[in-house]
């Protein structure tokens, strides 16, 4: 089962100078046309409609990462569905993986309230936690 991570918990990881995106955690932003409004620093953009085709690539490149967090705008549909697809493919890989595979311990999570919740939490208080934010496009959503 996939669990949720709060904006506060993920924010702690992102702002920790000892933690590095792509090594200590991975944020997978599955938005597509709504991605240009901004994103979480270090996020990997893989639109939800590409997740099934690209999950193997993500697993190959980031199997060593202990925490993988998926999100979309609200984390109600695209984010959780993408996390399920990823988790299912990880489970398939684990059937043939060595007993010491880092995938065994990889935590797969969904960002509670998605990017909208992230913006609500950090736009005013810590704008550095939102890269390439476009207020005009945000207002038009």
């Amino acid at each position: 089962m996939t669990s949720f991570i709060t904006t506060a918990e993920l924010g702690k990881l992102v702002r920790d100078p000892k933690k590095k995106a792509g090594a200590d955690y991975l944020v997978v932003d599955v938005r597509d046309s709504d991605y240009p409004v901004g994103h979480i620093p270090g996020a990997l953009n893989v639109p939800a409609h590409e997740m099934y085709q690209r999950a193997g690539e993500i697993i190959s490149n980031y199997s060593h990462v202990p925490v993988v967090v998926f999100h979309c705008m609200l984390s109600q549909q695209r984010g959780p569905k993408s996390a399920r697809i990823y988790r299912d493919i990880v489970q398939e890989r684990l059937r043939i993986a060595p007993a010491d595979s880092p995938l065994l311990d990889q935590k797969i999570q969904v960002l509670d309230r998605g990017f909208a919740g992230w913006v609500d939490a950090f736009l005013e208080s810590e704008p550095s936690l939102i890269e390439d934010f476009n207020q005009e496009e945000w207002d038009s959503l």
Side-chain angles (χ1 to χ4, degrees), residues 13 22 24 31 33 37-38 40-41 51 66-68 71 81 89 92-93 105 113 122 136-137:
L13 274 175
D24 299 298
R31 293 175 298 147
S33 62
V37 301
I40 296 170
M51 184 53 61
V67 179
V68 180
H71 79 86
K81 182 178 180 180
I89 294 173
E92 285 294 320
R93 294 259 178 118
D105 298 319
R113 299 178 54 232
F122 299 117
E136 187 174 312
E137 287 196 35

Side-chain angles (χ1 to χ4, degrees), residues 118-127 130 135:
W118 186 266
V119 170
D120 286 346
F122 299 117
L123 182 61
E124 297 297 323
S125 64
E126 288 185 81
I130 305 170
Q135 186 70 53

Side-chain angles (χ1 to χ4, degrees), residues 48-118:
H49 66 273
E50 297 177 10
M51 184 53 61
Y52 189 76
Q53 292 80 13
R54 294 189 55 198
E57 166 195 333
I58 298 167
I59 292 166
S60 294
N61 292 336
Y62 300 100
S63 62
H64 63 283
V65 176
V67 179
V68 180
V69 179
F70 290 83
H71 79 86
C72 57
M73 185 58 80
L74 300 172
S75 288
Q76 293 179 350
Q77 293 183 14
R78 295 174 293 176
K81 182 178 180 180
S82 295
R84 280 192 304 275
I85 290 168
Y86 180 84
R87 182 198 64 223
D88 290 349
I89 294 173
V90 163
Q91 289 175 344
E92 285 294 320
R93 294 259 178 118
L94 284 172
R95 291 180 192 189
I96 58 170
D100 62 347
S101 171
L103 283 173
L104 286 167
D105 298 319
Q106 192 175 69
K107 194 173 200 178
I108 302 167
Q109 298 184 298
V110 175
L111 177 60
D112 189 37
R113 299 178 54 232
F115 188 69
W118 186 266

Side-chain angles (χ1 to χ4, degrees), residues 6-26:
T6 66
T7 54
E9 292 167 328
L10 182 57
K12 185 177 179 180
L13 274 175
V14 171
R15 72 171 77 82
D16 185 341
K18 295 178 184 170
K19 305 284 185 189
K20 184 176 179 200
D24 299 298
Y25 65 91
L26 177 67

